[in-house]
Amino acid sequence: MKDTKKKEPASLFCVNGDKDKSDSKSKKKAAKSDSDDSEPETKSSKSKSKKKENANPASMFAAGGDKDKDKGKDKDKDKKKKKAKASESDDSDSEAEKGTKKKKGKGKKKKEERPPSPDIEFDSLEEFVLQPAQQGVTVKCKMTRDKRGMDKGLYPTYYLHLDNEKKVFLLSGRKRKKSTTSNYLISIDPTDLSRGGENFIGKLRSNMMGTKFTVFDNALHPDRALPDMSNARQELAAIIYETNVLGIKGPRRLTVIIPGMGKDSERVPIRPRRDNNGLLMKFQNRKMDNLIELHNKTPTWNDDTASHVLNFNGRVTQASIKNFQIIHSKDEAYIVMQFGRVADDAFTLDYSYPMCAVQAFAIALSSFDGKITCE
């Protein structure tokens, strides 16, 4: 990857103290011009990002190991970063001036458009949707809900495409009809959503209350796997919605547990033989070795709109209880994933390293499932 690209604090997701060789080169700047939402949120995010600048991002996604080493080295690197930033800003300013000159003279009406996803090429769709997003790249997608047909009011089909001109199809998902608990099948084919089909890529399973979910890949059930579990299915994520016993109105609160990242930015495989050793139980018992704990970003209250708001930088245009952003507690400025409504049955879903498309899509699917105790 070129040095000029923005790099997120990837090493926050590393396990056993593995750190990215590049060390965090530059913090992401808040996109002022792109944001139509939440002025208070923009201000608060600025102050938070300033506080985080001195922190070593190498420790943010680490599940274990040393977290506070080489602080002195980081200070020296910061001085070099400032010089690099100055030269980069000169180039970006000149490019911005060119862009404004091109815009002038056009008599067409301005259209409010969402910032599109960068062009992403891949040879195998199956491999791409299970691989973590490339470091420094935010994969921007559009998720649509199809409720047409006899039973699609109760069992709609969901589709995920890249949100750009090419609109490349990525995933589809639908809730299974004859399941004790909510169970969503995820496929790499828009029409083949069968459990035994070759396009089956993963599934999302909930508990009886619809408050806890587990995301699996398409490998074998532990009972049918080899003794060493090498071909057993992996747990890719766990999603926990906080119950709202008192019925207090406000935004949902959720926690997401994902496997940590090892060397070469590879996901640590989590293959439990029994459910009592899966991600949900590990989180409950606080056995968080090789695991990363993420949370939704707390919205700020806006007196002008009398509502809770988040800054989605123009990617979300309609209010919904389903709108959320997923962050790591050590760097709230870095958005691991965000999801929000843009039309009645259309949503944007953006994800970044270390999340993959299947994880992000499954987390979004969980938000559609009925949660009486969470509302």
Side-chain angles (χ1 to χ4, degrees):
M1 184 174 292
K2 294 181 181 179
D3 292 338
T4 54
K5 285 188 177 181
K6 291 184 181 178
K7 294 189 178 181
E8 71 284 345
S11 50
L12 290 171
F13 298 107
C14 293
V15 295
N16 300 324
D18 293 332
K19 297 183 180 181
D20 197 287
K21 292 181 181 179
S22 59
D23 280 323
S24 66
K25 294 210 171 172
S26 62
K27 274 276 181 183
K28 289 192 175 181
K29 297 180 182 179
K32 298 179 185 176
S33 59
D34 292 341
S35 173
D36 301 328
D37 322 270
S38 176
E39 288 181 6
E41 183 64 15
T42 309
K43 290 177 183 176
S44 63
S45 61
K46 279 185 185 176
S47 60
K48 285 175 185 173
S49 61
K50 285 180 181 177
K51 292 178 183 177
K52 301 292 180 183
E53 280 178 358
N54 294 327
N56 181 5
S59 64
M60 191 167 71
F61 300 122
D66 298 330
K67 297 183 178 181
D68 299 317
K69 289 183 178 180
D70 302 327
K71 284 187 178 178
K73 293 180 182 179
D74 289 338
K75 289 181 181 178
D76 295 334
K77 289 179 182 178
D78 286 340
K79 292 178 182 178
K80 294 179 181 179
K81 289 177 194 174
K82 288 178 182 177
K83 293 179 180 179
K85 279 183 182 177
S87 60
E88 286 175 11
S89 62
D90 291 340
D91 296 335
S92 62
D93 288 343
S94 60
E95 287 178 8
E97 287 174 9
K98 291 176 184 177
T100 53
K101 287 178 182 178
K102 287 180 182 178
K103 287 180 182 178
K104 288 180 181 179
K106 290 185 179 180
K108 295 180 181 178
K109 292 182 180 179
K110 288 184 179 179
K111 258 189 178 180
E112 290 185 7
E113 294 183 355
R114 297 187 303 274
S117 176
D119 288 333
I120 296 172
E121 296 181 358
F122 49 84
D123 296 324
S124 168
L125 177 58
E126 182 176 0
E127 290 180 6
F128 173 75
V129 296
L130 288 170
Q131 286 175 347
Q134 183 182 351
Q135 294 182 30
V137 175
T138 297
V139 183
K140 298 177 181 179
C141 307
K142 184 177 180 180
M143 185 171 176
T144 52
R145 175 174 56 187
D146 182 6
K147 295 190 289 187
R148 295 171 296 177
M150 289 292 291
D151 59 357
K152 284 194 176 180
L154 293 173
Y155 301 96
T157 303
Y158 300 89
Y159 303 98
L160 189 70
H161 294 78
L162 287 179
D163 193 13
N164 56 20
E165 289 183 359
K166 294 182 180 178
K167 299 179 181 178
V168 178
F169 168 81
L170 298 179
L171 294 166
S172 62
R174 186 175 61 202
K175 184 191 281 192
R176 298 181 73 181
K177 296 176 184 178
K178 298 178 181 179
S179 294
T180 309
T181 62
S182 293
N183 200 317
Y184 291 80
L185 291 178
I186 302 173
S187 172
I188 53 172
D189 187 277
T191 57
D192 179 14
L193 282 152
S194 59
R195 176 67 177 82
E198 61 180 12
N199 296 303
F200 170 70
I201 195 70
K203 75 172 184 177
L204 171 73
R205 187 184 69 192
S206 81
N207 65 349
M208 292 295 293
M209 298 291 288
T211 56
K212 297 179 181 179
F213 296 79
T214 305
V215 185
F216 302 93
D217 69 3
N218 58 352
L220 293 177
H221 189 281
D223 293 344
R224 300 193 299 273
L226 294 172
D228 63 358
M229 298 289 287
S230 59
N231 64 341
R233 68 188 183 190
Q234 294 187 43
E235 291 193 4
L236 301 179
I239 307 118
I240 303 101
Y241 288 85
E242 185 176 313
T243 54
N244 186 3
V245 180
L246 300 177
I248 300 170
K249 290 185 178 181
R252 290 175 175 174
R253 295 181 182 179
L254 68 147
T255 299
V256 175
I257 308 299
I258 59 173
M261 306 302 290
K263 294 179 179 179
D264 301 322
S265 300
E266 292 182 358
R267 188 184 302 111
V268 175
I270 306 294
R271 295 187 176 99
R273 189 171 290 279
R274 296 285 178 265
D275 286 343
N276 58 11
N277 197 33
L279 291 176
L280 287 171
M281 289 304 297
K282 286 178 180 289
F283 171 69
Q284 183 175 317
N285 298 325
R286 302 308 298 170
K287 295 181 179 179
M288 298 297 288
D289 292 342
N290 295 337
L291 303 181
I292 304 301
E293 182 176 343
L294 306 170
H295 297 274
N296 67 310
K297 190 171 187 177
T298 304
T300 55
W301 179 259
N302 188 320
D303 289 329
D304 296 333
T305 61
S307 62
H308 291 89
V309 294
L310 284 168
N311 182 6
F312 288 92
N313 291 324
R315 291 284 297 160
V316 176
T317 56
Q318 293 189 9
S320 172
I321 195 173
K322 296 179 179 65
N323 298 351
F324 63 84
Q325 292 177 323
I326 300 296
I327 57 169
H328 193 289
S329 60
K330 291 187 178 178
D331 188 352
E332 295 188 4
Y334 179 64
I335 307 299
V336 180
M337 172 191 169
Q338 69 177 24
F339 177 76
R341 185 190 296 273
V342 293
D344 287 346
D345 292 307
F347 309 80
T348 53
L349 187 162
D350 304 342
Y351 67 93
S352 303
Y353 181 88
M355 205 166 275
C356 71
V358 171
Q359 288 172 318
F361 186 58
I363 293 168
L365 285 176
S366 75
S367 72
F368 290 101
D369 206 58
K371 300 168 188 59
I372 298 172
T373 58
C374 300
E375 304 300 290

